[in-house]
């Protein structure tokens, strides 16, 4: 058996550090890489792991001690046969018996994450360091807000299940005045769904500008007599359905273990802004409706959404969505796909622009649109073709 003195390693820039945790006691059997002590400098907490399999024979320090590089903090007993990988041994092939070897691993070799001010045990720190988890984002539920293994597990679980990550209120409360408001249930659910979509679907967005001058003329004419007010959105729904019929992979869902379900029905979701958050009611079998009926459906569903009257069936079964910011502005935005759908059309504010047609300067109304699509199902060339088709259909008018 050999006894090895374990010394405080090179501390990098830090002059001295405090021992904030001793993770072992005399007689403990350790495996290589098990944490022995945790040091904390002004900038970071650093775990000093064991370089050996062995038994702790002595501990020379206590929590709260201030230590410098080279201070012996423990003695470990190891098997004679264990290979000792220290810098000394590499240069001294005839080491004396019993060998007194120094742990000279420098702090820069120890993974170091800023855990200062964190109340967590060594096991939690070790896992957090390995998984590069910032413990400051976790609210501890233990004594003195200590982060327990359970807290860490819950955090990892919530991160991997794509729930949105929220900052801890405590970490932000010291910077100025603030007011805390509860997110509505709709916003919370929306946050979860949007995060899941954004983090699990490889989104690509394709932008285009469409000349809606003809449609605007036809709309103005129809609105003179129509009881239902037509907005550009009803035209977009009609024309989008034609494009979906031409390019069925945009009306699809990715299902099972990699199958594309091409839907032969056309249920168009319309994003509606309500004071409690965004809702996406669905115009069912929109392909069977004429433009006035589509406009009526939009008005009816938007009204229900704003007055909390939507039923579950109004919100399910969509095959493609349109999010129209319309008059609210913007020259473009990247809409987030509404799973299990695989694409969504975002509509920004139309504007009148001077346009050179031959040698004539004419006025045109140009509508910026953006198509976000799931790149696992749709590739860029498909999106280009879909958008060109949609553009030419819209530019023809109804
Ligand atoms: N550019 C310029 N003007 C537009 C336009 C556009 N792209 N789209 C609509 N308009 C005009 C309409 O013609 C109407 O003008 P007039 O009264 O002069 O005819 C006016 O803007 C208001 O239209 P509207 O918003 O009442 O009707 P709509 O059919 O365009 O939209 C609805 C209905 C429910 C989609 C809309 O009210 C809404 O809630 N939009 C928000 C959706 C949203 O938040 N999307 C973002 C999601 S990502 O967070």
């Amino acid at each position: 058996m050999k006894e090895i003195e374990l010394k405080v390693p090179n501390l990098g820039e830090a002059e001295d550090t405090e021992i904030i945790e001793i993770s072992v006691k005399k007689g403990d059997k350790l495996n290589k890489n098990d944490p022995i002590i945790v040091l904390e400098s002004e900038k970071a907490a650093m775990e000093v792991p064991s370089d050996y399999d062995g038994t702790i024979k002595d501990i020379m320090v206590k929590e709260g001690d201030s230590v410098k590089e080279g201070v012996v903090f423990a003695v470990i007993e190891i098997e004679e046969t264990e290979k000792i990988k220290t810098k000394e041994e590499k240069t001294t092939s005839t080491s004396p018996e019993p060998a007194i070897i120094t742990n000279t691993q420098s702090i820069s070799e120890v993974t170091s994450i800023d855990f200062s001010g964190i109340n967590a045990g060594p096991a939690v720190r070790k896992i957090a360091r390995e998984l590069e988890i910032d413990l400051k984002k976790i609210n501890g539920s233990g004594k003195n807000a200590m982060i327990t293994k359970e807290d860490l597990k819950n955090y990892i679980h919530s991160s991997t299940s794509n729930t949105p990550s929220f900052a801890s209120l405590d970490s932000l409360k010291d910077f100025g005045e603030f007011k805390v408001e509860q997110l509505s249930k709709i916003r919370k659910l929306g946050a979860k769904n949007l995060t899941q979509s954004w983090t699990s679907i490889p989104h690509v967005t394709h932008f285009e500008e469409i000349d809606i001058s003809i449609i605007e003329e036809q709309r103005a004419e129809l609105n003179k007599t129509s009881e239902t007010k037509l907005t550009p959105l009803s035209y977009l729904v009609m024309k989008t359905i034609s494009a979906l019929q031409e390019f069925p992979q945009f009306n699809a869902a990715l299902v099972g273990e990699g199958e594309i379900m091409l839907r032969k029905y056309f249920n168009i979701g319309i994003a509606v802004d309500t004071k409690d958050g965004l809702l996406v009611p669905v115009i069912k079998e929109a392909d069977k409706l004429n433009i006035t009926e589509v406009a009526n459906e939009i008005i009816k569903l938007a009204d229900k959404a704003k007055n909390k009257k939507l039923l579950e069936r109004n919100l399910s079964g969509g095959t493609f969505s349109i999010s129209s910011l319309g008059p609210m502005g913007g020259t473009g935005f990247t809409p987030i796909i509404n799973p299990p759908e695989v694409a969504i059309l975002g509509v920004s504010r139309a504007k009148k622009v001077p346009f050179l047609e031959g040698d004539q300067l004419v006025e045109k109304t140009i509508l910026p649109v953006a198509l976000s699509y799931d790149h696992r199902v749709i590739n860029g060339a498909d999106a280009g073709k879909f958008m060109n088709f949609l553009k030419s259909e819209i530019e023809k008018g109804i």
Side-chain angles (χ1 to χ4, degrees):
M1 295 294 238
K2 290 176 190 171
E3 285 194 354
I4 297 172
E5 282 186 340
L6 302 174
K7 294 187 178 181
V8 173
N10 181 305
L11 300 171
E13 285 181 12
E15 285 272 292
D16 57 9
T17 56
E18 188 185 321
I19 297 184
I20 57 163
E21 269 169 30
I22 297 177
S23 320
V24 295
K25 55 186 187 316
K26 256 198 225 176
D28 276 0
K29 290 199 183 322
L30 297 189
N31 292 321
K32 194 174 169 193
N33 292 329
D34 281 351
I36 307 175
I37 55 170
V38 181
L39 301 170
E40 189 175 79
S41 72
E42 276 175 11
K43 290 190 179 157
M46 296 149 279
E47 206 170 58
V48 181
S50 173
D51 274 349
Y52 318 100
D53 294 341
T55 307
I56 292 291
K57 294 298 285 181
D58 208 354
I59 297 171
M60 284 82 169
V61 288
K62 57 183 189 315
E63 284 179 6
D65 280 2
S66 206
V67 288
K68 285 187 162 48
E69 180 186 351
V71 168
V72 177
F73 63 87
V75 173
I76 188 169
E77 187 181 65
I78 64 165
E79 293 282 342
E80 291 268 357
T81 49
E82 171 146 16
K83 189 157 169 37
I84 301 162
K85 290 182 196 152
T86 63
K87 286 169 190 165
E88 267 92 338
E89 205 190 34
K90 275 180 211 155
T91 51
T92 328
S93 52
T94 53
S95 53
E97 293 295 337
I100 304 291
I101 313 287
T102 313
N103 177 356
T104 54
Q105 185 182 25
S106 86
I107 279 251
S108 59
E109 291 168 53
V110 179
T111 320
S112 147
I113 300 181
D114 183 4
F115 286 159
S116 50
I118 294 290
N119 186 3
V124 168
R125 286 168 189 271
K126 185 165 186 273
I127 299 168
R129 195 162 290 122
E130 280 168 10
L131 300 180
E132 295 180 3
I133 291 169
D134 182 358
L135 288 178
K136 286 188 175 145
K137 289 188 178 159
I138 303 178
N139 289 322
S141 64
K143 200 176 161 197
N144 298 328
M146 183 171 185
I147 299 169
T148 63
K149 269 193 184 167
E150 207 53 37
D151 296 331
L152 183 59
K153 269 193 220 159
N154 288 341
Y155 179 80
I156 293 170
H157 179 71
S158 66
S159 317
T160 50
S161 57
N162 289 328
T163 35
S165 68
F166 300 118
S168 93
L169 190 59
D170 267 4
S171 67
L172 299 174
K173 69 178 172 14
D174 297 330
F175 301 107
E177 278 188 35
F178 58 87
K179 176 178 157 203
V180 177
E181 284 180 356
Q182 271 298 315
L183 280 182
S184 67
K185 277 195 186 137
I186 292 175
R187 277 185 208 276
K188 274 192 197 158
L189 185 65
K192 190 163 178 260
N193 292 342
L194 290 167
T195 307
Q196 193 154 21
S197 169
W198 187 247
T199 53
S200 63
I201 298 176
H203 282 68
V204 179
T205 305
H206 183 108
F207 296 92
E208 186 54 280
E209 289 186 331
I210 302 181
D211 178 0
I212 57 166
S213 310
I214 294 179
I215 273 181
E216 283 301 84
E217 275 171 32
Q218 293 177 338
R219 193 171 72 87
E221 203 48 43
L222 277 172
N223 272 340
K224 283 183 192 160
T225 51
S226 170
E227 275 182 23
T228 306
K229 187 177 147 197
L230 302 173
T231 63
L233 186 56
S234 348
Y235 287 81
L236 286 174
V237 171
M238 301 293 285
K239 297 297 190 177
T240 299
I241 291 169
S242 305
L244 293 175
Q245 285 164 338
E246 190 73 17
F247 299 93
Q249 73 270 42
F250 288 80
N251 198 49
L254 198 56
V255 293
E257 291 176 13
E259 289 151 302
I260 299 171
M261 180 186 179
L262 300 164
R263 272 104 48 106
K264 294 186 176 167
Y265 52 94
F266 299 87
N267 291 347
I268 308 299
I270 302 290
V272 178
D273 183 39
T274 78
K275 66 176 172 21
D276 293 320
L278 188 69
L279 285 167
V280 189
V282 176
I283 309 175
K284 295 276 166 65
E285 300 192 314
D287 55 314
K288 302 205 170 120
L289 306 180
N290 65 33
I291 190 147
T292 313
E293 288 165 339
V294 166
N296 260 326
E297 276 297 296
I298 295 173
I299 293 167
K300 212 167 72 191
L301 289 170
D303 186 62
K304 277 189 181 177
K306 286 174 184 171
N307 294 300
K308 298 189 179 177
K309 297 247 168 69
L310 288 175
L311 304 171
E312 173 56 31
R313 65 183 152 83
N314 298 129
L315 291 161
S316 55
T319 58
F320 183 95
S321 294
I322 302 182
S323 175
S324 171
L325 272 177
M328 283 172 268
T331 54
F333 67 100
T334 53
I336 298 180
I337 296 164
N338 189 16
E341 296 163 25
V342 295
I344 179 168
L345 189 73
V347 184
S348 296
R349 182 171 52 207
K351 61 174 182 226
K352 292 197 159 108
V353 295
F355 194 84
L356 201 58
E357 215 167 49
D359 52 3
Q360 291 280 318
L361 206 54
V362 291
E363 183 188 88
K364 283 195 185 283
T365 307
I366 299 295
L367 181 73
V369 293
L371 175 75
S372 290
Y373 56 90
D374 183 337
H375 209 349
R376 295 170 302 174
V377 182
I378 294 160
N379 60 36
D382 297 331
K385 287 178 203 159
F386 179 93
M387 194 58 108
N388 289 341
F389 182 90
L390 181 64
K391 181 176 159 75
S392 75
E393 283 298 303
I394 290 175
E395 292 183 350
K396 276 186 215 158
I398 279 285

